[in-house]
Amino acid sequence: MAGSKGSKYFNIFLDYQVWLKAQNREGRVDDQLIELLKEIGLHGSLKKAAIKKGLSYRKAWGDIKEAEEFLELSLIVSTRGGKDGGLSLLTEDGRELIAAFDELHYQFDQAIHRITRQFFNKLNKKDLPETE
Amino acid sequence: MAGSKGSKYFNIFLDYQVWLKAQNREGRVDDQLIELLKEIGLHGSLKKAAIKKGLSYRKAWGDIKEAEEFLELSLIVSTRGGKDGGLSLLTEDGRELIAAFDELHYQFDQAIHRITRQFFNKLNKKDLPETE
DNA sequence: AATCGTTATGTTATATCTTGCATGACCAAT
DNA sequence: ATTGGTCATGCAAGATATAACATAACGATT
């Protein structure tokens, strides 16, 4: 844009997020949830997963619950008591959701790469003689 | 506003959002801001734009201010007093930002259409016996 | 010069979100 | 049977975001 001393958009970048939602029901499945699920799968524990993601156990638990109601399927299966106090494991549906979301992100990352380049090109065309 | 209503998975949709941000500075430019700017351009008034978007004038004003600091350029130019009490108009930079963002969204909508179809295809293959 | 409607900004109240307890259930191992 | 640690869940407390309120500056019009 007008009058530039170098690239104004030098350290500005494009970010994005994708999520699943419904128009009638509450709840959503986003990045944060998927990462939480991954940690559960990794540690077999909801508590450990929450800590790992910097969330309170209360919220982590609520998020999972909410997502399960939203999707109308079980993402984790838990038991309490026993040697380690209890555990939480991913269900098949949970694992499939993760896999699908990962693929989704891969596709988006591909697309954003291309789109981002175009976007800044367009912006810089006005201000920047040199392309970065 | 943001996102697309690509495919349907039980009535679940894929939604997304894109925004500009920096890794050092605060602030960001997102959909909501762009829509606000559009309303300003449409009405020549920050107050009217805020009302139109269901925001308090205070927040709308703060959002613009913040975005301007973030981008280090002026998006609107305002005067107070006069026949109508005052006005706010888009700057050239403001208009260019809007145009660039619109183009960005167009590109994303294109991409998400394709990606969404793939995504739900993948999900449906597992959970849904009947394809719709 | 008094008025009107908007811009401009600090301050206070509200609503929303998250975290932090508190309490119980549960069960392998001691 | 007692213990330890996690799951499960409601409720109070703290943090954050947004709206509401309160002034004041402006300047064309009356």
Side-chain angles (χ1 to χ4, degrees):
Chain A
M1 319 222 166
S4 62
K5 34 178 186 240
S7 176
K8 282 174 182 150
Y9 312 105
F10 192 70
N11 47 5
I12 292 181
F13 59 92
L14 202 57
D15 204 356
Y16 78 93
Q17 183 154 28
V18 270
W19 62 89
L20 293 171
K21 65 170 296 194
Q23 72 289 303
N24 46 335
R25 272 170 294 158
E26 273 301 299
R28 69 183 239 172
V29 173
D30 59 11
D31 231 48
Q32 194 180 14
L33 183 86
I34 298 298
E35 283 174 30
L36 182 61
L37 286 174
K38 283 182 181 173
E39 290 294 338
I40 292 174
L42 218 52
H43 298 101
S45 161
L46 177 49
K47 186 177 187 183
K48 286 201 184 73
I51 291 171
K52 209 71 186 261
K53 297 307 299 175
L55 302 172
S56 61
Y57 172 86
R58 190 63 182 73
K59 173 154 167 54
W61 173 79
D63 286 353
I64 299 280
K65 193 94 187 276
E66 196 177 299
E68 289 185 330
E69 278 170 26
F70 167 66
L71 293 171
E72 295 179 54
L73 50 83
S74 294
L75 298 173
I76 67 175
V77 55
S78 307
T79 60
R80 39 188 174 175
K83 178 165 148 302
D84 299 317
L87 55 83
S88 295
L89 301 171
L90 294 176
T91 62
E92 181 62 23
D93 284 340
R95 281 192 296 276
E96 282 173 13
L97 182 66
I98 291 173
F101 226 81
D102 276 350
E103 172 65 18
L104 180 72
H105 261 277
Y106 174 73
Q107 295 294 338
F108 259 88
D109 285 337
Q110 299 275 66
I112 206 175
H113 225 83
R114 175 175 51 77
I115 295 172
T116 297
R117 191 162 41 240
Q118 277 180 223
F119 179 69
F120 285 106
N121 242 22
K122 198 180 185 72
L123 273 185
N124 285 331
K125 210 171 288 178
K126 321 270 177 167
D127 309 316
L128 278 182
E130 79 275 38
T131 312
E132 177 139 357
Chain B
M1 196 73 241
S4 91
K5 315 208 165 118
S7 310
K8 181 153 78 168
Y9 174 74
F10 292 113
N11 47 8
I12 293 180
F13 300 96
L14 193 61
D15 205 354
Y16 77 92
Q17 185 156 24
V18 271
W19 62 89
L20 293 171
K21 66 170 298 194
Q23 71 289 304
N24 44 337
R25 271 171 295 158
E26 273 302 300
R28 70 183 238 172
V29 173
D30 60 12
D31 231 49
Q32 193 181 13
L33 184 87
I34 298 298
E35 285 174 29
L36 183 61
L37 286 174
K38 283 182 180 174
E39 290 293 338
I40 292 174
L42 218 52
H43 298 102
S45 162
L46 177 49
K47 187 178 187 183
K48 286 201 184 74
I51 292 172
K52 209 70 185 264
K53 295 310 297 175
L55 301 173
S56 63
Y57 172 86
R58 190 63 180 74
K59 172 154 168 55
W61 174 80
D63 285 353
I64 299 281
K65 193 95 189 277
E66 196 177 300
E68 289 184 331
E69 276 170 26
F70 167 65
L71 293 170
E72 293 178 57
L73 50 83
S74 294
L75 297 173
I76 68 175
V77 55
S78 307
T79 60
R80 42 186 172 176
K83 177 165 150 302
D84 300 316
L87 55 84
S88 293
L89 302 171
L90 293 176
T91 61
E92 180 63 23
D93 285 340
R95 282 191 296 274
E96 282 172 14
L97 182 65
I98 290 174
F101 227 81
D102 277 350
E103 172 66 16
L104 180 71
H105 262 277
Y106 174 73
Q107 295 295 337
F108 258 86
D109 284 337
Q110 299 276 64
I112 204 176
H113 254 83
R114 176 176 49 78
I115 296 171
T116 297
R117 191 159 42 238
Q118 279 180 222
F119 178 70
F120 284 107
N121 248 14
K122 201 179 185 72
L123 271 187
N124 284 332
K125 212 169 290 179
K126 310 276 179 171
D127 304 324
L128 280 181
E130 76 278 37
T131 314
E132 81 180 74

